[in-house]
Amino acid sequence: MAETRRGRPTMNDVAAAAGVALKTVSRVVNDEPGVNATTAGRVRAAIERLGYRRNDSARILRRGRTASIGLVIEDVADAFYSSLSQAVEDAALRHGYLLFSGSSREDSARERDLVLAFCSRRVDGLIIVPAGSDHAYLTPESEAGLKVVFADRPPGAGFEADTVLCDNVGGARAGTAHLIAHGHRRIAFLGGSPGIFTAAQRLRGYRQALAAAGLPYDEGLVAMGPPDPARTRADLTRLLAAFDPPTALLAGNGRTTVDTLRALASLSGTADAGLALVGFDDFTLADLLGITVVAQDPVRLGRTAADLLLMRLSGDERPVNRIELGTRLIPRGSGERPPLPRLGRTAG
């Protein structure tokens, strides 16, 4: 009876099974010349039969590179970041890199832990959607040769790296101006946490559009905080009960738009309650629901960030890039409703 082999098959096992020298197996495995076609075929057949897989650890040590990239995003469950992640992974695989990814969940400490965990595994480069505003911890890694690109949000002050952003100010300005053009003068803004770069930039664009139209900025029409269905419902309850309620809404991100639709349906029995609505960022079924949106392109964002990183990994030493990608307004009906007379609360 043949001896039962235990553990993973080795090159020695392949050499014995193919009846060749160890060096011959090494040449076939590493695609080196010097092995005739018949012998190479016999070696590959043995590899397939035994299920041999090359251990790259020694090669990595010799090369000083791992052919891997780390990606830190906000939340892999979010459709925007899922699309961004897929684009980065596609670009990485095309160039022979393995992608490791993790979610910070808007926690700066978790972001730092993930980044340093990837660094300890000697990834060649990182793409980061930052949760925090202090990236001094990356300075030693950068000085040691790590390549870093920031996506969707810039790094904190004092750390320079290639950055790819979307035009948050211009997009929010366009969405607000669109509502103004359809006759609205009381426009509410439901945004993310004000400390987040994208949320602050979208508030800025909203305010710019109001100013350009000669409309006052009313803090009572602004509600900002982490996306949360209960918070959105409470904000809308307050807004709709106001003495002079809004006739239109600008939702600052995709999750808030969905929460807004659900809250309006719950509060009024209809998903619009007579309000015009523009959402920042497209989302699944928005076209079927007729929701007007300011659309970003997460695939292009991820691909551009990956291209910048791969460029750096290939040795490019040009000055730091800051790229801003445009947005586009997609009218589908919800943002084109004219203002309806609203009773609000009567003065007591």
Side-chain angles (χ1 to χ4, degrees), residues 323-344:
I323 298 172
E324 189 170 84
L325 305 178
T327 59
R328 63 191 180 101
L329 187 131
I330 306 176
R332 293 180 176 139
S334 70
E336 293 70 56
R337 301 185 186 113
L340 298 177
R342 305 189 63 78
L343 298 178

Side-chain angles (χ1 to χ4, degrees), residues 138-164:
L138 272 170
T139 299
E141 305 294 339
S142 178
E143 290 175 348
L146 181 74
K147 307 303 181 185
V148 184
V149 172
F150 284 78
D152 195 39
R153 307 165 186 173
F159 186 85
E160 289 194 349
D162 293 323
T163 304
V164 187

Side-chain angles (χ1 to χ4, degrees), residues 3 94 108 123 139:
E3 181 183 352
R94 279 197 305 272
S108 59
V123 294
T139 299

Side-chain angles (χ1 to χ4, degrees), residues 9 45 68 86 111-112 122 124 152 166 183 252 270 290 314 323-324:
S68 61
Q86 184 64 64
E111 172 210 312
R112 183 179 184 276
R122 298 294 185 262
D124 300 316
D152 195 39
C166 289
T270 173
S314 70
I323 298 172
E324 189 170 84

Side-chain angles (χ1 to χ4, degrees), residues 168-211:
N168 295 285
V169 174
R173 185 171 59 236
T176 308
H178 185 73
L179 292 167
I180 293 170
H182 283 82
H184 297 277
R185 297 298 178 265
R186 296 283 291 170
I187 302 169
F189 176 70
L190 305 179
S193 299
I196 295 174
F197 172 82
T198 49
Q201 292 289 290
R202 291 167 194 175
L203 175 63
R204 181 180 164 200
Y206 162 80
R207 297 189 65 166
Q208 285 183 1
L210 295 177

